[in-house]
Amino acid sequence: MAKPYTEYAGNGCHVHISLQDEIGNNVFGENEAVLLNAIAGVLAHLEDSMAIFAPNANSYRRLQPNMFVPLHATWGWDNRTVAVRIPASGTEDKRIEHRLSGADVNPYLTVAVLLASIIDGIDNQLTPPALSKVMQHY
């Protein structure tokens, strides 16, 4: 369940995605423009993908302030309050962390939506919105 107890934070299904070229180099680590395009693609499709990311009525109980879950289509560097986080890492392990999905998702559909969103962002050279100015510490 995404939110079995009302007084506690719910259960998320965070998905980490990196991208390698044909010789094994991390594309996100070596090309920040591609990373930003991928982030923009994920954010552009979040609203339309909510039926996948939150498939049950209980899924939405998890989406509340101060419950360690993102509430808006935001992104940030090593910021645990945003929907798309870029964890602090080196070039070789740079990745996107999708933090919106709950524990009740179908992981195959979730990954398929995220990969399609990333491809759209890269192919169409989408630009992400400004970094989230909200910085909460949990």
Side-chain angles (χ1 to χ4, degrees), residues 74-93:
T74 55
W75 74 281
W77 300 97
D78 208 26
N79 180 342
R80 295 179 187 268
T81 68
V82 295
V84 177
R85 173 180 174 239
I86 309 306
S89 61
T91 302
E92 66 282 348
D93 56 353

Side-chain angles (χ1 to χ4, degrees), residues 15-19 42 53 108-122:
V15 178
H16 292 251
I17 298 175
S18 59
L19 179 64
V42 172
F53 301 147
Y108 303 104
L109 292 177
T110 299
V111 170
V113 166
L114 292 171
L115 292 176
S117 299
I118 288 169
I119 290 168
D120 181 53
I122 293 170

Side-chain angles (χ1 to χ4, degrees), residues 40-52:
V42 172
L43 293 177
H45 294 282
L46 280 183
E47 185 177 338
D48 293 337
S49 304
M50 283 305 293
I52 302 296

Side-chain angles (χ1 to χ4, degrees), residues 14 19 23 31 42 49 51 60 67 91-92 94 97 107 120:
H14 299 178
L19 179 64
I23 59 173
N31 189 335
V42 172
S49 304
Y60 293 89
M67 286 292 172
T91 302
E92 66 282 348
K94 185 75 64 189
E97 177 187 4
D120 181 53

